[in-house]
Amino acid sequence: MATPRARRLITAASLSLVVAATMAALPGTANALSSDVVISAVYGGGGNSGAIFKNDFIELANTTGSAIDVSNWSVQYASAAGVVFQLTRLTGSIPAHGRYLVQQAAGAAGTLALPTPDAIGTVPMSGTSGVVALVTNQISLVGCGTLCATAPNVKDLVGYGATANVETLAAPGLTNSTAIARSGALADTDNNAADFTSGVPKATNSAGTTASAGDPDGPGPVDPTPGTTRIHDIQGSGRISPIVGQNVTNVPGIVTAVRTTGSSRGYWFQDPSADADPLTSEGLFVFTGSTSPAVAIGDSVLATGRVTEYRPATGAQTLTELGGTINTIRLTGGNALPAAVPVALPDAYTKSGSLEAQPLEPSSYVLDWLEVREGMRVTIAEETRLISPVNTEFSELWVTLKPGQNPTPRGGSLYKSYDDPNSGRLMILALNGAPAANVGSTLAAGTTGPLDYQSFGGYVVQATQLGTITEGGLKRQKVLPPKKQGDLSVATYNVENLAASNPAAKFARLAEAVVTNLGTPDILALEEIQDNNGATDNGVVAADQTVAKFIAAIQAAGGPTYAWRSIDPNDGTDGGEPGGNIRQVFLFNPARATFVDRPGGDADTAVSVVRERPTSNQISLSVSPGRINPTSSVWASSRKPLVGEFLYDGNKQLFVIANHLNSKGGDYPLTAAVQPPVRSSEVQRVKQATEIHDFVKDLSDKSAGRARVIVLGDLNDYQFSPALQTITGNGTLLKTLIDTLPADQRYSYVFDGNSQVLDHILISPAIKGYSYGVVHINAEFADQASDHDPQIVRILTGCDVDPLPTRCLPGSPVVDQ
């Protein structure tokens, strides 16, 4: 499961009771999040006394990389009561990452015309309170009362000022001289109050022409006198600024770090004269977008802008920052930096409920301790241990400040339950780069920089100074030689979007792992095999070239000539990287196992269990290979389990089910604004788990419990999750082999500094003698062939008797230590 990064990108069976209760208590009901077109600005004071613009306007924004046709859409306006909506029809399209301007009624005053509008209406909008809806048809909204955000065809809705017709909470009210605008990243969190801020009216049309009342893009203030607002006034004593949405002028501070690359450029500055309130941070990020700030560390500056709460992703907390049109006055350079605060995290990670609605308790909770120092310089004053490999592409690493907290034998921090996210973890982003290093390496004291918040990882030290990293000497593991020639080895390996177009070096690395580290398994279930042209989205679904190239690489590494079986998915239906059409594939050594081919399996045909005779316990598959109920809605945008029937060791029958369940994309981060975090993806995984469970139960029932079954693959969930309990029937139908390892060795993946389980091998009770292990070769290493570690189970020969011979008893190691 590869996780992409964007601008501070992020990455439960049902909505938790605390989340549901919180939502129920809010005055507005949120609509589905808009992922393409949003309302980006609203202004209702056009032509009023004191206004610059002559007309009211509504601005839309396209957040995607493709033009979007809006020719059958409309924008609709209602007063604060929201009973009658007035409709303006839209025409044309919104360009990729572009804007679309809807001009409304004019007043008697004002001196500035809008840019050429893309659509023209005659609606006189309120200059204080009202409701604007973006609707994907041209039929007036009626009968939705104050719940129009959830009405059919409503893509986005903004209620501003004194109205109850909103998404969660109302945006700030308008004035004749102020509009509301969606924050810089155009995030839609379905909370009007969080998404919109008040500022100088600014309108842009689809041609990119912009007009602004008061020319906020001009040079701004040049008076070098500090304003009355300080950073601690902006940060306040809670998570949300008490003056969010307000413009502030000439806020003083010392620049402590600068970011000059990417789309989230800006600088951190800090007031060296702290107030007496320990709950108010003295640091702040100034967001300059794609423009590099002309400041340097140590500069004394005065910053002018709009106070913004930037929420980087749905469910994430916000980062208090200065946004909008930034003006920075540099006073002097080379100033001493404010002293960095040593990081000293409390034992408890966080409290429950909506964190933004609760007072900060930094002495009790980690997330509160970090929040009250948001934007401030902090330092790691003691030597720490790396609990993730260094991601050299993004210069990211995770350390633990509590070395005795759930350690793994190889240096990581084990994720044992939802209730214990490892409160000692802290992410570091090295602004000047970081050398490659593996889990278990040490980071010397002295890492220092401002404390930021981003959805991917939450709180992060933006390190201007990185302590020395000393490599810990971690070694890759290998499978031990089998004790008997008749033992059958079965492995699972997520090969991370392997496509025929990948470099030969990737195939060689993966092949070396199969031969050297996995000992050439007799049966190998692969996940994330892409079609022949990888991410190119042109309708190709076949993966024969990808598989052939991998088999050839295994041969070149000294392995056998594997045969293979798989089923091509329908184009674009199985999720993963767009265009990649990932699927599971069986590789098998024909000298060690025989695949039982039964024709008829395809992308849409469901495999079933067949009794050879009505009263017989001998079973087979209707098709082999086959897919479990592939047309069921539970597999929407997700891989379907691949089922195969094998024979081994004197025609013993074995059923293998290779899986890759839906990812955790969309789940809230561990640092979410509402705790415990919502795990929305879990709902679909539990339904998928039910399908797998029912199929395995049919195998068991029709064979009177004699069926040897292995369920394996990337199940994208933890051994303690509802999905795993569902598949295994709470352990009565299948055994979870990761649970047979010592508790501190139960992991196959590292995410956010947590060593955790996503990959699994599960076996039926009919498999009596076995040995099992996770082969750690990727997840803990900076140099990875994949982001997952493979797993292997060895079915031991001669173990179909009672009592079991000694060599058949579980516990025999299969992996070197």
Side-chain angles (χ1 to χ4, degrees):
M1 183 184 70
T3 305
R5 280 78 162 173
R7 181 187 190 248
R8 310 177 201 140
L9 179 72
I10 178 160
T11 86
S14 60
L15 204 62
S16 66
L17 292 177
V18 64
V19 175
T22 301
M23 293 180 65
L26 296 174
T29 302
N31 190 19
L33 302 176
S34 177
S35 60
D36 44 24
V37 180
V38 295
I39 299 167
S40 52
V42 176
Y43 175 60
N48 293 352
S49 176
I52 302 297
F53 278 125
K54 297 178 181 180
N55 290 77
D56 302 336
F57 69 83
I58 300 164
E59 182 192 271
L60 309 178
N62 177 1
T63 63
T64 75
S66 302
I68 294 180
D69 184 4
V70 296
S71 55
N72 293 314
W73 295 15
S74 62
V75 291
Q76 302 190 28
Y77 167 81
S79 67
V83 176
V84 178
F85 280 84
Q86 297 170 270
L87 181 148
T88 302
R89 289 178 170 83
L90 307 184
T91 60
S93 62
I94 310 178
H97 299 298
R99 305 296 172 110
Y100 185 103
L101 184 61
V102 182
Q103 176 178 290
Q104 296 292 5
T111 59
L112 183 65
L114 294 170
T116 303
D118 299 294
I120 297 176
T122 58
V123 177
M125 297 167 57
S126 169
T128 56
S129 303
V131 184
V132 174
L134 174 62
V135 185
T136 57
N137 61 23
Q138 296 184 347
I139 302 171
S140 293
L141 294 171
V142 292
C144 54
T146 60
L147 299 176
C148 295
T150 58
N153 301 305
V154 173
K155 176 168 280 289
D156 195 16
L157 180 141
V158 179
Y160 59 92
T163 179
N165 205 346
V166 299
E167 289 182 348
T168 308
L169 294 171
L174 306 181
T175 69
N176 293 344
S177 59
T178 60
I180 55 170
R182 197 175 290 271
S183 57
L186 300 175
D188 180 14
T189 70
D190 276 357
N191 184 334
N192 295 159
D195 291 347
F196 285 84
T197 56
S198 176
V200 174
K202 183 177 180 179
T204 303
N205 63 13
S206 62
T209 306
T210 299
S212 180
D215 188 22
D217 291 325
V222 294
D223 180 4
T225 304
T228 57
T229 303
R230 295 295 186 265
I231 291 175
H232 50 248
D233 298 323
I234 296 171
Q235 287 282 11
S237 59
R239 279 183 159 80
I240 304 298
S241 170
I243 56 173
V244 62
Q246 296 184 25
N247 294 312
V248 292
T249 303
N250 284 5
V251 180
I254 305 296
V255 175
T256 59
V258 183
R259 184 159 55 209
T260 59
T261 59
S263 60
S264 57
R265 304 180 192 186
Y267 63 89
W268 290 265
F269 74 137
Q270 186 169 334
D271 194 331
S273 301
D275 67 358
D277 188 348
L279 300 182
T280 57
S281 171
E282 301 295 341
L284 192 67
F285 181 65
V286 179
F287 175 60
T288 61
S290 57
T291 302
S292 295
V295 295
I297 293 175
D299 284 353
S300 174
V301 298
L302 303 175
T304 295
R306 185 172 64 246
V307 179
T308 301
E309 291 291 345
Y310 171 69
R311 195 180 303 276
T314 303
Q317 295 187 53
T318 62
L319 173 68
T320 307
E321 61 183 20
L322 282 190
T325 301
I326 298 297
N327 184 72
T328 301
I329 300 173
R330 181 181 180 276
L331 301 177
T332 61
N335 295 276
L337 302 184
V341 178
V343 178
L345 302 179
D347 290 334
Y349 190 66
T350 188
K351 63 196 90 173
S352 296
S354 173
L355 301 185
E356 293 171 359
Q358 300 182 56
L360 293 167
E361 301 175 78
S363 62
S364 299
Y365 299 103
V366 168
L367 294 188
D368 289 10
W369 191 98
L370 295 168
E371 173 62 28
V372 301
R373 292 161 179 86
E374 179 188 81
M376 293 177 61
R377 292 184 80 230
V378 297
T379 187
I380 300 175
E382 299 178 353
E383 181 180 272
T384 55
R385 187 180 78 245
L386 270 64
I387 54 173
S388 77
V390 175
N391 183 317
T392 54
E393 181 181 359
F394 299 100
S395 300
E396 297 170 351
L397 59 142
W398 287 80
V399 298
T400 179
L401 302 179
K402 300 174 183 178
Q405 187 177 62
N406 299 323
T408 72
R410 295 168 60 84
S413 285
L414 191 75
Y415 185 49
K416 299 195 303 183
S417 72
Y418 294 129
D419 296 329
D420 188 7
N422 288 315
S423 61
R425 295 173 304 115
L426 185 63
M427 182 182 176
I428 297 168
L429 195 155
L431 293 175
N432 298 316
N438 303 325
V439 165
S441 301
T442 55
L443 176 69
T447 296
T448 303
L451 190 64
D452 192 24
Y453 182 86
Q454 58 178 15
S455 62
F456 185 81
Y459 294 97
V460 54
V461 179
Q462 300 278 353
T464 56
Q465 176 183 338
L466 184 68
T468 301
I469 295 178
T470 302
E471 178 58 58
L474 196 67
K475 302 295 184 184
R476 287 182 165 87
Q477 294 182 319
K478 296 180 181 179
V479 170
L480 296 171
K483 293 181 178 179
K484 283 198 175 184
Q485 187 64 27
D487 294 349
L488 183 84
S489 56
V490 183
T492 175
Y493 197 3
N494 183 320
V495 292
E496 194 177 5
N497 291 323
L498 185 65
S501 56
N502 287 157
K506 178 171 182 176
F507 282 91
R509 283 286 306 279
L510 291 167
E512 179 186 10
V514 170
V515 175
T516 302
N517 300 96
L518 288 175
T520 60
D522 302 318
I523 300 172
L524 177 58
L526 302 172
E527 299 88 52
E528 292 197 17
I529 292 288
Q530 292 196 341
D531 62 36
N532 291 330
N533 57 23
T536 302
D537 193 0
N538 61 356
V540 170
V541 295
D544 55 316
Q545 297 172 24
T546 303
V547 178
K549 191 171 180 179
F550 191 27
I551 290 174
I554 293 172
Q555 285 181 278
T561 302
Y562 279 104
W564 67 284
R565 298 291 187 275
S566 186
I567 293 177
D568 293 336
N570 294 317
D571 186 36
T573 61
D574 279 26
E577 186 176 28
N581 290 309
I582 59 175
R583 82 290 307 275
Q584 298 87 267
V585 171
F586 290 127
L587 299 188
F588 62 97
N589 182 352
R592 302 282 298 130
T594 300
F595 192 89
V596 180
D597 288 294
R598 301 184 189 277
D602 59 27
D604 301 312
T605 299
V607 63
S608 60
V609 182
V610 179
R611 275 197 177 103
E612 295 297 323
R613 296 184 303 276
T615 59
S616 171
N617 293 326
Q618 184 63 40
I619 61 172
S620 60
L621 300 178
S622 59
V623 295
S624 178
R627 306 214 294 177
I628 294 177
N629 200 10
T631 59
S632 170
S633 61
V634 308
W635 306 113
S637 299
S638 183
R639 284 66 55 191
K640 289 73 175 172
L642 179 69
V643 185
E645 184 177 336
F646 292 86
L647 299 176
Y648 74 101
D649 192 22
N651 290 328
K652 291 178 181 175
Q653 192 178 41
L654 177 67
F655 300 97
V656 183
I657 305 173
N659 303 274
H660 187 186
L661 303 191
N662 72 301
S663 76
K664 293 183 176 293
D667 288 5
Y668 288 5
L670 292 178
T671 57
V674 175
Q675 294 288 335
V678 174
R679 299 185 294 273
S680 57
S681 70
E682 194 173 75
V683 176
Q684 184 179 3
R685 260 191 319 281
V686 169
K687 293 178 180 178
Q688 294 175 343
T690 300
E691 291 276 5
I692 299 167
H693 169 275
D694 291 350
F695 185 81
V696 175
K697 189 172 187 304
D698 200 24
L699 285 168
S700 178
D701 289 348
K702 289 179 178 175
S703 68
R706 297 177 183 178
R708 298 179 188 87
V709 183
I710 297 179
V711 175
L712 77 176
D714 181 359
L715 301 185
N716 261 320
D717 225 331
Y718 315 117
Q719 69 274 31
F720 48 79
S721 68
L724 263 294
Q725 302 312 308
T726 299
I727 290 179
T728 64
N730 291 314
T732 61
L733 183 68
L734 294 165
K735 176 182 286 189
T736 305
L737 292 188
I738 197 80
D739 287 339
T740 68
L741 297 179
D744 60 0
Q745 297 178 29
R746 298 173 187 173
Y747 64 96
S748 64
Y749 190 79
V750 178
F751 182 73
D752 280 5
N754 276 327
S755 294
Q756 56 194 250
V757 181
L758 292 181
D759 311 272
H760 290 272
I761 297 181
L762 318 172
I763 63 172
S764 66
I767 297 176
K768 302 293 186 183
Y770 64 88
S771 57
Y772 160 81
V774 179
V775 189
H776 297 299
I777 58 174
N778 288 318
E780 299 168 309
F781 294 88
D783 177 23
Q784 300 179 342
S786 166
D787 50 351
H788 290 250
D789 285 333
Q791 298 184 23
I792 190 165
V793 62
R794 186 175 290 151
I795 302 176
L796 306 180
T797 188
C799 297
D800 292 326
V801 296
D802 289 317
L804 284 177
T806 301
R807 71 175 298 270
C808 298
L809 298 175
S812 175
V814 69
V815 179
D816 67 10
Q817 300 301 312

